[in-house]
Amino acid sequence: MFIYSTLSRSKEEFSPLKPNRVKLFVCGPTVYDDSHIGHGRTYIAFDCIARYFRYKGYSLFYLQNITDLDDKIIKRARERGVDPILLAREYERKYLADMKALGVENVNLHARATEHIPEIIEQIRKLLEKGFAYETENGVYFEEAKFPDFGKLSQRKLEDLTVHRVDPDPRKKSPGDFVLWKKIDEQPCWESPWGRGRPGWHIEDTAITEEYFGAQYDIHGGGLDLIFPHHEAEIAQMESASGLKPMVLYWMHTGFLNVKGEKMSKSLGNFVTIQELLQRWDGEVFRFLVLSAHYRSPIDFGEDALIQAQNSLERIKKTLQKMVGFYEDPEKQGGIKVGENRKIWDEVHKKFLEAMDDDFNTPQALSVLFEAIRYINRQLQDKSLKNSDIIKIKTIFKDWGEILGVNFFPPEKKEDRTEDVLEILLDVRGKLREKKDWKLSDMIRSDLKDLGFELEDS
Ligand code: AMP
């Protein structure tokens, strides 16, 4: 299995720190507003990646932080006259519901920043002790110049970096130094050895990952926009605090979901919220659209792309539906024999997995899937499909659906077992009557009556 790492700018063979275990951390949302489909793109991509690790038999721990402490949250809460933490909880709930609607359900743990303040303080204390950070009247800062590797992920030189940052604290040693702890005596704030305040954004993630994964782990993901300064700062903090390199083996970044060539974002106002999308489209259609592109490539979002995704999905489902209807009485086929096509299907499945092994190449995997659909259609036309092929194809498509997070088959109807349950109940009631437990047996009769079942003892 090969994964493209942003750090080396190349595909590397995947070899986790501990055999068969994968620790994956993906930056979570800042919960101050409804999530838009750009967020959806990134989280669908990582959800599929997580599914594939599990499919391959890895034991995966997928961790995500929730930024429930941020100036944007506080600002929004003030505008509405509500408590910032309650506002964050409201949008966290909405975010989780949105993710569920998009089939994103593989995160093992969502860790809130506000619930990891002691870990954050501890990491800052370590950085100060080791001389990587310093304190001013306004806060505690990471001193970029002390970490010569700064810029290794974004491939920027330290000299170029210092001019870019905007920070109002004139007491900083260098403009590029970033904040670890802001001294603020205003709610929400926490006690710390440096007085009341709030943590900086970058330290939140490294404190959380150190808590659950330790100082080193396998994969860190997020959107492209997070490479600099966020992920760069994370490396500087964690590698300085622990003295261990590298903090992360593979850095994975998703491409943007764009509208007319521009990144969909809150600030540009060109966004569609997930809720808005779901009013008109099935979450699965959007998911299919996202997976039709490689996770590192940009996606040009528009109505046309959605229509195309919907048509493709329908075509797949219709073919499979037709195929299932083609299953004949085994008697007529002379029992279930091994079809001639079995080998072909093993080969097709292998090709799908090879595409996924190649840096989770979902568009390539989908082209294998479309080829398979064309093949099935031809076989349906000349009536050459055998029962055993149908069983095999069903299994393969179920596997692919599990990996992609798409249901290619309608949910199986549960058999109505009401009669059987009634039989059991009547049996129990009969035994109660034998024991002359009239109270309980009458209760059963009356409860059944409420459900519309009239019982007559005869
Ligand atoms: P935020 O809450 O803005 O920090 O974003 C949460 C995640 O969504 C980050 O990994 C971002 O990189 C990602 N993201 C935000 N906008 C887009 C977009 N238009 N396309 C793809 N990913 C995005």
Side-chain angles (χ1 to χ4, degrees), residues 26-30 32 36-39 41-43 72 201 221-226 254-258 263-265:
V26 176
C27 290
T30 305
Y32 71 103
H36 60 68
I37 57 174
H39 302 128
R41 190 265 154 105
T42 287
Y43 297 127
K72 283 182 265 193
W201 174 36
L224 266 185
D225 51 338
L226 298 185
T254 48
F256 293 142
L257 182 126
N258 294 327
K263 180 195 169 202
M264 178 174 284
S265 73

Short mmCIF file of all heavy atoms in Angstrom, two decimals, residues 26-30 32 36-39 41-43 72 201 221-226 254-258 263-265, ligand 1:
data_model
loop_
_atom_site.label_atom_id
_atom_site.label_comp_id
_atom_site.label_asym_id
_atom_site.label_seq_id
_atom_site.Cartn_x
_atom_site.Cartn_y
_atom_site.Cartn_z
N VAL A 26 -7.12 13.56 12.20
CA VAL A 26 -7.53 14.54 11.19
C VAL A 26 -8.10 15.76 11.93
O VAL A 26 -8.93 15.60 12.83
CB VAL A 26 -8.60 13.95 10.23
CG1 VAL A 26 -9.09 15.01 9.26
CG2 VAL A 26 -8.04 12.76 9.46
N CYS A 27 -7.61 16.94 11.54
CA CYS A 27 -8.08 18.17 12.20
C CYS A 27 -9.60 18.29 12.04
O CYS A 27 -10.12 18.21 10.93
CB CYS A 27 -7.42 19.39 11.59
SG CYS A 27 -5.69 19.50 11.99
N GLY A 28 -10.26 18.51 13.15
CA GLY A 28 -11.72 18.63 13.13
C GLY A 28 -12.15 20.07 12.91
O GLY A 28 -11.32 20.96 12.72
N PRO A 29 -13.46 20.31 12.96
CA PRO A 29 -13.97 21.64 12.63
C PRO A 29 -13.91 22.61 13.82
O PRO A 29 -13.83 22.19 14.96
CB PRO A 29 -15.44 21.35 12.31
CG PRO A 29 -15.76 20.19 13.20
CD PRO A 29 -14.52 19.36 13.30
N THR A 30 -13.95 23.90 13.48
CA THR A 30 -14.16 24.93 14.49
C THR A 30 -15.67 25.14 14.52
O THR A 30 -16.26 25.53 13.50
CB THR A 30 -13.44 26.24 14.08
OG1 THR A 30 -12.07 25.91 13.85
CG2 THR A 30 -13.56 27.29 15.16
N TYR A 32 -18.55 26.97 15.07
CA TYR A 32 -19.21 28.26 15.34
C TYR A 32 -20.30 28.55 14.31
O TYR A 32 -20.98 29.57 14.38
CB TYR A 32 -18.19 29.41 15.35
CG TYR A 32 -17.63 29.77 14.00
CD1 TYR A 32 -18.07 30.90 13.31
CD2 TYR A 32 -16.67 28.97 13.40
CE1 TYR A 32 -17.57 31.22 12.06
CE2 TYR A 32 -16.16 29.29 12.16
CZ TYR A 32 -16.61 30.41 11.49
OH TYR A 32 -16.10 30.71 10.25
N HIS A 36 -20.02 23.53 5.81
CA HIS A 36 -20.35 23.58 4.38
C HIS A 36 -19.79 22.35 3.68
O HIS A 36 -19.08 21.54 4.28
CB HIS A 36 -19.90 24.90 3.73
CG HIS A 36 -18.43 25.18 3.81
ND1 HIS A 36 -17.49 24.44 3.13
CD2 HIS A 36 -17.73 26.15 4.46
CE1 HIS A 36 -16.29 24.93 3.36
NE2 HIS A 36 -16.40 25.96 4.18
N ILE A 37 -20.14 22.22 2.39
CA ILE A 37 -19.79 20.97 1.71
C ILE A 37 -18.29 20.86 1.40
O ILE A 37 -17.80 19.78 1.08
CB ILE A 37 -20.64 20.76 0.43
CG1 ILE A 37 -20.48 21.93 -0.52
CG2 ILE A 37 -22.11 20.55 0.81
CD1 ILE A 37 -21.19 21.70 -1.85
N GLY A 38 -17.55 21.98 1.55
CA GLY A 38 -16.09 21.91 1.46
C GLY A 38 -15.55 21.08 2.62
O GLY A 38 -14.69 20.21 2.45
N HIS A 39 -16.09 21.34 3.83
CA HIS A 39 -15.72 20.50 4.98
C HIS A 39 -16.11 19.06 4.68
O HIS A 39 -15.35 18.13 4.94
CB HIS A 39 -16.46 20.94 6.24
CG HIS A 39 -16.23 22.37 6.63
ND1 HIS A 39 -17.25 23.24 6.89
CD2 HIS A 39 -15.10 23.07 6.79
CE1 HIS A 39 -16.76 24.42 7.21
NE2 HIS A 39 -15.45 24.35 7.14
N ARG A 41 -16.30 17.51 1.93
CA ARG A 41 -15.37 16.87 0.99
C ARG A 41 -14.19 16.25 1.77
O ARG A 41 -13.83 15.08 1.56
CB ARG A 41 -14.84 17.93 0.02
CG ARG A 41 -14.05 17.38 -1.14
CD ARG A 41 -12.57 17.36 -0.93
NE ARG A 41 -11.95 16.33 -1.74
CZ ARG A 41 -11.25 16.53 -2.84
NH1 ARG A 41 -11.03 17.74 -3.25
NH2 ARG A 41 -10.73 15.52 -3.50
N THR A 42 -13.59 17.06 2.63
CA THR A 42 -12.41 16.58 3.36
C THR A 42 -12.77 15.40 4.25
O THR A 42 -12.07 14.38 4.28
CB THR A 42 -11.79 17.74 4.17
OG1 THR A 42 -11.15 18.60 3.22
CG2 THR A 42 -10.78 17.27 5.18
N TYR A 43 -13.90 15.49 4.96
CA TYR A 43 -14.22 14.42 5.90
C TYR A 43 -14.72 13.15 5.21
O TYR A 43 -14.52 12.05 5.71
CB TYR A 43 -15.20 14.92 6.97
CG TYR A 43 -14.55 16.03 7.79
CD1 TYR A 43 -15.16 17.27 7.96
CD2 TYR A 43 -13.28 15.84 8.34
CE1 TYR A 43 -14.54 18.28 8.67
CE2 TYR A 43 -12.65 16.84 9.05
CZ TYR A 43 -13.29 18.07 9.22
OH TYR A 43 -12.66 19.06 9.92
N LYS A 72 -13.54 33.10 16.93
CA LYS A 72 -14.77 33.16 16.09
C LYS A 72 -15.99 32.68 16.88
O LYS A 72 -17.09 33.22 16.73
CB LYS A 72 -14.60 32.29 14.84
CG LYS A 72 -13.73 32.95 13.79
CD LYS A 72 -13.62 32.10 12.55
CE LYS A 72 -12.42 31.29 12.61
NZ LYS A 72 -11.79 30.56 11.68
N TRP A 201 -4.26 28.10 18.96
CA TRP A 201 -4.94 27.08 18.16
C TRP A 201 -4.07 25.84 17.94
O TRP A 201 -4.51 24.70 18.11
CB TRP A 201 -5.34 27.71 16.81
CG TRP A 201 -5.92 26.77 15.81
CD1 TRP A 201 -6.73 25.71 16.06
CD2 TRP A 201 -5.74 26.83 14.39
NE1 TRP A 201 -7.09 25.10 14.87
CE2 TRP A 201 -6.49 25.77 13.84
CE3 TRP A 201 -5.04 27.68 13.54
CZ2 TRP A 201 -6.53 25.53 12.46
CZ3 TRP A 201 -5.09 27.45 12.18
CH2 TRP A 201 -5.83 26.38 11.64
N GLY A 221 -3.95 14.16 8.96
CA GLY A 221 -4.62 14.65 7.77
C GLY A 221 -5.31 15.97 7.99
O GLY A 221 -5.50 16.44 9.12
N GLY A 222 -5.74 16.55 6.88
CA GLY A 222 -6.49 17.80 6.90
C GLY A 222 -6.54 18.37 5.50
O GLY A 222 -5.99 17.77 4.56
N GLY A 223 -7.20 19.49 5.34
CA GLY A 223 -7.24 20.15 4.04
C GLY A 223 -5.91 20.84 3.74
O GLY A 223 -5.14 21.13 4.67
N LEU A 224 -5.67 21.08 2.45
CA LEU A 224 -4.44 21.74 2.00
C LEU A 224 -4.13 23.04 2.73
O LEU A 224 -2.97 23.37 2.97
CB LEU A 224 -4.62 22.13 0.52
CG LEU A 224 -4.15 21.20 -0.57
CD1 LEU A 224 -4.34 21.89 -1.91
CD2 LEU A 224 -2.67 20.88 -0.37
N ASP A 225 -5.20 23.79 3.05
CA ASP A 225 -5.01 25.10 3.67
C ASP A 225 -4.39 25.01 5.06
O ASP A 225 -3.94 26.01 5.60
CB ASP A 225 -6.36 25.85 3.77
CG ASP A 225 -7.45 25.01 4.39
OD1 ASP A 225 -7.33 23.76 4.37
OD2 ASP A 225 -8.43 25.58 4.90
N LEU A 226 -4.35 23.80 5.63
CA LEU A 226 -3.83 23.69 6.99
C LEU A 226 -2.32 23.42 7.04
O LEU A 226 -1.72 23.45 8.11
CB LEU A 226 -4.57 22.58 7.75
CG LEU A 226 -6.07 22.79 7.94
CD1 LEU A 226 -6.66 21.69 8.82
CD2 LEU A 226 -6.37 24.14 8.57
N THR A 254 -6.04 16.96 1.71
CA THR A 254 -7.09 16.90 0.67
C THR A 254 -7.08 18.18 -0.16
O THR A 254 -6.78 19.27 0.36
CB THR A 254 -8.48 16.77 1.32
OG1 THR A 254 -8.58 17.73 2.37
CG2 THR A 254 -8.70 15.39 1.88
N GLY A 255 -7.45 18.03 -1.43
CA GLY A 255 -7.60 19.20 -2.30
C GLY A 255 -8.89 19.94 -1.95
O GLY A 255 -9.74 19.40 -1.24
N PHE A 256 -9.03 21.13 -2.49
CA PHE A 256 -10.22 21.92 -2.16
C PHE A 256 -11.43 21.56 -2.99
O PHE A 256 -11.30 21.12 -4.13
CB PHE A 256 -9.95 23.42 -2.39
CG PHE A 256 -8.94 23.99 -1.47
CD1 PHE A 256 -8.02 24.93 -1.92
CD2 PHE A 256 -8.89 23.60 -0.13
CE1 PHE A 256 -7.08 25.46 -1.06
CE2 PHE A 256 -7.95 24.13 0.73
CZ PHE A 256 -7.04 25.06 0.26
N LEU A 257 -12.57 21.81 -2.41
CA LEU A 257 -13.80 21.81 -3.19
C LEU A 257 -13.96 23.27 -3.61
O LEU A 257 -14.00 24.18 -2.77
CB LEU A 257 -14.97 21.37 -2.31
CG LEU A 257 -16.30 21.30 -3.06
CD1 LEU A 257 -16.90 19.92 -2.87
CD2 LEU A 257 -17.27 22.33 -2.56
N ASN A 258 -13.95 23.49 -4.91
CA ASN A 258 -13.99 24.86 -5.44
C ASN A 258 -15.33 25.18 -6.08
O ASN A 258 -16.06 24.29 -6.51
CB ASN A 258 -12.91 25.01 -6.53
CG ASN A 258 -11.51 24.89 -5.96
OD1 ASN A 258 -11.25 25.28 -4.82
ND2 ASN A 258 -10.61 24.35 -6.74
N LYS A 263 -11.76 28.41 -3.84
CA LYS A 263 -12.05 27.54 -2.70
C LYS A 263 -13.37 27.93 -2.05
O LYS A 263 -13.62 29.12 -1.81
CB LYS A 263 -10.92 27.68 -1.67
CG LYS A 263 -11.11 26.82 -0.45
CD LYS A 263 -10.19 27.24 0.68
CE LYS A 263 -10.62 26.53 1.97
NZ LYS A 263 -10.17 27.20 3.18
N MET A 264 -14.22 26.94 -1.79
CA MET A 264 -15.45 27.23 -1.07
C MET A 264 -15.08 27.58 0.37
O MET A 264 -14.37 26.84 1.03
CB MET A 264 -16.39 26.02 -1.08
CG MET A 264 -17.66 26.27 -0.28
SD MET A 264 -18.87 24.94 -0.41
CE MET A 264 -19.55 25.19 -2.02
N SER A 265 -15.49 28.73 0.82
CA SER A 265 -15.17 29.10 2.20
C SER A 265 -16.17 30.10 2.75
O SER A 265 -16.85 30.79 2.00
CB SER A 265 -13.75 29.67 2.30
OG SER A 265 -13.73 30.96 1.74
P1 AMP B 1 -12.18 24.55 9.46
O1 AMP B 1 -13.35 24.30 10.38
O2 AMP B 1 -12.33 25.74 8.61
O3 AMP B 1 -10.86 24.48 10.19
O4 AMP B 1 -12.16 23.34 8.40
C1 AMP B 1 -12.23 22.00 8.74
C2 AMP B 1 -11.58 21.16 7.67
O5 AMP B 1 -12.25 21.32 6.41
C3 AMP B 1 -10.12 21.50 7.41
O6 AMP B 1 -9.38 20.30 7.21
C4 AMP B 1 -10.15 22.30 6.13
O7 AMP B 1 -8.96 22.20 5.41
C5 AMP B 1 -11.31 21.64 5.40
N1 AMP B 1 -11.91 22.53 4.38
C6 AMP B 1 -12.42 23.76 4.58
N2 AMP B 1 -12.87 24.28 3.39
C7 AMP B 1 -12.63 23.34 2.45
C8 AMP B 1 -12.88 23.26 1.03
N3 AMP B 1 -13.45 24.23 0.36
N4 AMP B 1 -12.51 22.12 0.39
C9 AMP B 1 -11.94 21.08 1.07
N5 AMP B 1 -11.69 21.10 2.39
C10 AMP B 1 -12.02 22.20 3.09
#
